[in-house]
Amino acid sequence: MSENQKRKLLMIIFLMYLAILLRITVFRSSFRLGQIFQNGKINFTLFESYILLLQQGRWFIFFYLFVGNVIWFVPFGVFCYGVEKRQRIGKTLIWGFLFSLGIESMQFLWGTGVSELDDLVLNTLGAWIGAAGVHFLKIKKKAEMTT
C-alpha cells in the first residue's frame, strides 16, 4: 500500500470517527434541525455533576462519563498530532479544545445535551493524551533505532 493510499485510508477512518462522535454527542435522537435555542443548558461549575455522582455512590456512571469524555478524544489527538508536519502537542491541544467547544456549543444551540465546562476540560485532556502518546512512541522508536 502506497503512502498516499495509507493517508486516504486514515482520513476516511478519521472522518468516520468524527461522524460517530458527533452522532453520540450532538445529533442524538432528540436533535431537530429547526430546534435552535430551545432547551440548551450550560453548567459552568467544574466537575459538579461528577462530584454528585460520587456522593450518590453511582460509581459506574461516574466512570463511564468521566473516562468516556477523555477516551473519546484520544483518537482526535492521535490523528491531529500525527498529520502535522511540525508536530506540536500544544497545537493539537488547541484543536482538541476548539473541537470540543464546537460540540458543546452545538449541544447548547440544539438542546441535545448539557454543555458542561468539565466536558471541555476532559475532552481536551483526551486530545492531549492521544498526542502525547504518539509523541512518546516516536521518541521511543528513535531511541531504539540508535541503539
Side-chain angles (χ1 to χ4, degrees):
M1 183 179 277
S2 72
E3 277 301 311
N4 193 32
Q5 289 172 322
K6 285 180 188 177
R7 290 182 71 79
K8 285 180 182 178
L9 180 60
L10 282 174
M11 183 58 78
I12 290 168
I13 291 170
F14 184 67
L15 292 173
M16 288 173 38
Y17 153 77
L18 289 178
I20 292 168
L21 186 59
L22 289 171
R23 173 69 169 105
I24 290 169
T25 58
V26 178
F27 303 113
R28 301 171 178 178
S29 60
S30 60
F31 173 75
R32 303 288 179 266
L33 189 55
Q35 173 184 317
I36 296 178
F37 296 119
Q38 294 207 350
N39 294 318
K41 295 177 185 140
I42 298 178
N43 179 3
F44 286 115
T45 307
L46 195 59
F47 301 122
E48 178 181 59
S49 57
Y50 292 112
I51 292 168
L52 185 60
L53 287 171
L54 289 174
Q55 289 172 340
Q56 295 171 347
R58 299 170 73 189
W59 298 97
F60 178 78
I61 295 171
F62 165 82
F63 184 79
Y64 175 80
L65 294 173
F66 190 91
V67 174
N69 272 309
V70 174
I71 288 177
W72 271 107
F73 268 72
V74 170
F76 188 89
V78 168
F79 183 82
C80 288
Y81 184 81
V83 298
E84 288 182 33
K85 290 193 192 289
R86 293 186 67 208
Q87 295 172 327
R88 307 255 167 133
I89 291 177
K91 191 174 180 181
T92 300
L93 194 65
I94 291 168
W95 280 114
F97 173 83
L98 291 174
F99 186 63
S100 180
L101 183 62
I103 287 173
E104 296 303 315
S105 298
M106 287 186 282
Q107 284 180 333
F108 175 76
L109 288 173
W110 287 307
T112 56
V114 177
S115 300
E116 298 187 87
L117 181 60
D118 44 337
D119 289 352
L120 192 60
V121 170
L122 294 173
N123 295 162
T124 304
L125 174 64
W128 178 82
I129 290 170
V134 173
H135 178 77
F136 288 116
L137 285 175
K138 286 184 176 191
I139 289 173
K140 183 179 177 189
K141 187 176 179 180
K142 276 185 184 178
E144 288 173 354
M145 291 174 65
T146 58
T147 57

